[in-house]
Amino acid sequence: MKEARHIATGRIRRASEVDYSEYHGIFQCPHCKVALRLRKEYITSNGTTITAAFIHPPGETELEKKCPYRINMNFSATKPQIGFPNSREQCFKLLKKNFLKCLKNYSKVGIMESYSKDQEALESIGIFMDLNHKIISARQNGRYILELQESQKIQNLLRDKEYQRINSYSEDSIQKKIAILSLQSRLNFVTKESNSLIWGLEFIINEANEDFMQKALDYIFGKYIETYKINFIEFENNLFEQMFPKHKIDMGVGSLSFGRIKKVFGFELSIIKQANEVLSNDKLINNFFEQMYMKQSPQSSDSNAVIFNEITKIHNQIFDYLIDYLVNFPWHCLLY
């Protein structure tokens, strides 16, 4: 293959432009995520020029063996039979289909399904989904991903996950002894798993058309609803609150609305509507990301300072949800 992902930066690089000093162990196939070997351009004995390329190692998993970017050569034939992918578009359509299938199987419940009988909730979810499509699909998130890699935030999360698993066992249990013995081998996979998670985030960002994003977020946020890790929607009824100020009502999954929507995923609905309107303007999207990467509060003189500050909170919270979800994502399910 002519292009591969440079893990250190997350960028796609051409084999013809790569220096030997930077190739070892840090280039990855965008599809099957295996580490690739660089073969520089050379001239054969009969004068034929063989252009530079990234070469797949022998496939170990089904995903690696069936990777459409792998070149299969039949050396027993008179001429090499080289199989190239029919098209990048077909490849990514299949990958998106499999990815969504895995999300559905892993999540088991979706937002739309949970609130299908509540029209008011569905309308609020639609606004929230639209806002997230604007936030997640913005090309400026490339810098956010790069900062994730440089901070090693994800690798630390994966390490913490391993230690939490060990500490969950009783002190003298055989499970804890086995887990401790296998700890180092598991930690050796942290970098690879971190690369997979980064790939997953980039895949969601780069393939974030409206339909794909709505389905992906439906399953991802559905996982949090199912496990009750977050309060998804809060309902408000002023008359009821006045009559019963201390009474709490459990508005669990599937409950019907008894008043107007107050919050969606912990954010005020009014703020979500304003943020969605602001990010409908390309110039304001650029201004927002410039402010966010300044690592400081927006300038008070900016008429959008307050809403920019709220959008930053939404951006960071949404990506925290995505990262937390993908840390536990069963990547092996993409094989099927």
Side-chain angles (χ1 to χ4, degrees):
M1 55 192 294
K2 303 302 181 185
E3 296 180 334
R5 187 177 303 283
H6 185 234
I7 296 303
T9 62
R11 298 188 180 93
I12 297 296
R13 297 288 304 276
R14 292 189 63 82
S16 59
E17 300 171 348
V18 173
D19 294 328
Y20 263 108
S21 60
E22 64 177 346
Y23 89 90
H24 182 67
I26 55 174
F27 283 94
Q28 183 187 56
C29 174
H31 178 80
C32 68
K33 300 185 288 294
V34 71
L36 304 171
R37 178 173 62 85
L38 174 67
R39 184 199 65 198
K40 295 295 287 183
E41 180 178 303
Y42 68 96
I43 300 176
T44 64
S45 58
N46 63 4
T48 302
T49 298
I50 305 299
T51 58
F54 293 104
I55 308 299
H56 281 71
E60 296 181 359
T61 67
E62 286 301 307
L63 180 64
E64 293 173 6
K65 292 176 182 178
K66 295 179 180 180
C67 178
Y69 292 120
R70 178 183 292 276
I71 297 177
N72 297 312
M73 302 187 71
N74 180 9
F75 290 100
S76 62
T78 305
K79 294 183 179 180
Q81 302 298 312
I82 303 178
F84 292 97
N86 293 329
S87 75
R88 179 186 180 280
E89 186 63 25
Q90 287 182 355
C91 169
F92 275 79
K93 280 183 179 179
L94 178 61
L95 187 56
K96 287 162 71 172
K97 181 180 179 180
N98 289 341
F99 187 67
L100 290 174
K101 181 180 178 181
C102 292
L103 290 180
K104 182 178 181 179
N105 292 338
Y106 182 45
S107 298
K108 297 181 182 178
V109 64
I111 299 173
M112 301 299 181
E113 178 184 348
S114 301
Y115 292 88
S116 60
K117 296 181 180 179
D118 193 321
Q119 188 61 37
E120 188 177 10
L122 287 176
E123 289 175 0
S124 300
I125 291 169
I127 296 170
F128 186 69
M129 290 290 203
D130 195 36
L131 171 61
N132 278 282
H133 177 246
K134 293 182 174 71
I135 288 176
I136 294 172
S137 63
R139 65 183 186 278
Q140 292 91 334
N141 282 312
R143 178 171 172 180
Y144 177 82
I145 296 298
L146 184 58
E147 290 182 355
L148 273 182
Q149 292 174 306
E150 291 175 345
S151 67
Q152 294 190 313
K153 174 181 177 179
I154 293 175
Q155 293 193 34
N156 291 334
L157 284 172
L158 289 165
R159 289 190 179 93
D160 290 344
K161 177 185 170 186
E162 290 300 320
Y163 286 111
Q164 288 171 7
R165 183 171 64 86
I166 289 177
N167 293 332
S168 67
Y169 299 127
S170 58
E171 192 63 33
D172 298 325
S173 66
I174 185 65
Q175 292 95 334
K176 185 162 188 173
K177 293 178 181 178
I178 294 173
I180 291 174
L181 289 173
S182 63
L183 175 62
Q184 190 55 52
S185 62
R186 288 292 305 141
L187 291 179
N188 290 337
F189 285 100
V190 164
T191 300
K192 185 174 181 180
E193 290 182 5
S194 175
N195 289 340
S196 293
L197 197 153
I198 290 291
W199 173 87
L201 286 174
E202 290 184 324
F203 183 71
I204 290 174
I205 291 169
N206 294 327
E207 299 300 319
N209 62 54
E210 188 172 349
D211 181 62
F212 176 75
M213 183 55 58
Q214 179 171 324
K215 290 179 180 177
L217 292 179
D218 187 35
Y219 297 137
I220 289 173
F221 292 141
K223 182 71 175 181
Y224 293 109
I225 294 174
E226 180 190 18
T227 56
Y228 300 99
K229 289 183 178 179
I230 56 174
N231 295 321
F232 175 52
I233 289 183
E234 293 183 14
F235 297 90
E236 183 182 71
N237 185 301
N238 293 330
L239 179 61
F240 186 90
E241 289 179 353
Q242 291 173 14
M243 294 174 62
F244 306 99
K246 296 182 179 180
H247 189 73
K248 294 182 179 179
I249 289 186
D250 177 19
M251 294 305 295
V253 175
S255 299
L256 295 177
S257 170
F258 64 94
R260 70 182 183 85
I261 301 297
K262 183 178 181 181
K263 290 184 178 181
V264 181
F265 258 76
F267 301 107
E268 293 288 344
L269 181 59
S270 59
I271 294 295
I272 292 173
K273 289 180 177 179
Q274 290 180 61
N276 195 35
E277 184 176 349
V278 165
L279 294 189
S280 297
N281 183 302
D282 289 340
K283 182 178 180 180
L284 291 180
I285 289 177
N286 289 330
N287 290 343
F288 160 66
F289 276 97
E290 287 176 5
Q291 295 282 3
M292 191 181 82
Y293 290 128
M294 287 171 64
K295 307 298 182 186
Q296 60 188 37
S297 299
Q299 300 298 319
S300 58
S301 59
D302 190 333
S303 60
N304 293 297
V306 174
I307 193 65
F308 276 5
N309 188 54
E310 293 302 313
I311 297 174
T312 300
K313 293 178 183 177
I314 297 173
H315 179 284
N316 293 337
Q317 186 65 63
I318 294 308
F319 272 90
D320 280 346
Y321 283 140
L322 294 178
I323 291 168
D324 178 68
Y325 180 91
L326 294 176
V327 161
N328 298 293
F329 186 71
W331 296 101
H332 61 275
C333 75
L334 288 176
L335 302 179
Y336 305 103

